[in-house]
Amino acid sequence: AMKRSLKRRLLRSRIALNNTIHTILNINKKRKNLQYTKDSRSEENKLNEELKLLNKLAAQQQTLVQKYEKELSLQLGSAEQSSN
């Protein structure tokens, strides 16, 4: 049961990270396609702020994914040892 909930948390974390990366890529596309007008400056600043936050979030999510992967591999390793 413990292993299953860890797998579930790992999966959820990977999905969240994937969604964050997808959002970052979409914002980068938006930034590329911005037409340079007076309004585009504030729009670009807004997108840059959003990117800054999303990059921090992605880094935290990546750390969580790595933590869960490590915990899961340790659990699998100890399960193999106990079955031998």
Side-chain angles (χ1 to χ4, degrees):
M2 177 78 168
K3 193 164 38 177
R4 187 180 303 144
S5 71
L6 189 56
K7 280 183 182 178
R8 194 173 292 136
R9 279 184 285 172
L10 174 58
L11 188 61
R12 283 190 187 135
S13 298
R14 281 185 178 158
I15 290 169
L17 176 59
N18 220 1
N19 289 340
T20 303
I21 290 170
H22 198 75
T23 305
I24 288 170
L25 293 174
N26 284 338
I27 289 175
N28 280 327
K29 275 185 209 167
K30 271 188 206 172
R31 283 174 66 212
K32 257 186 211 168
N33 296 330
L34 268 185
Q35 299 299 316
Y36 284 96
T37 62
K38 273 188 264 181
D39 303 334
S40 69
R41 206 83 189 116
S42 68
E43 181 66 18
E44 189 180 8
N45 288 338
K46 195 178 88 176
L47 292 175
N48 288 341
E49 283 303 306
E50 214 173 318
L51 270 179
K52 209 184 289 184
L53 289 173
L54 286 168
N55 281 319
K56 280 183 184 176
L57 180 62
Q60 289 172 340
Q61 289 170 330
Q62 178 63 32
T63 302
L64 203 55
V65 165
Q66 289 170 335
K67 176 184 172 231
Y68 291 150
E69 285 173 341
K70 187 176 179 181
E71 284 179 24
L72 195 60
S73 72
L74 289 173
Q75 277 187 12
L76 292 173
S78 64
E80 281 177 12
Q81 285 178 349
S82 64
S83 68
N84 287 341

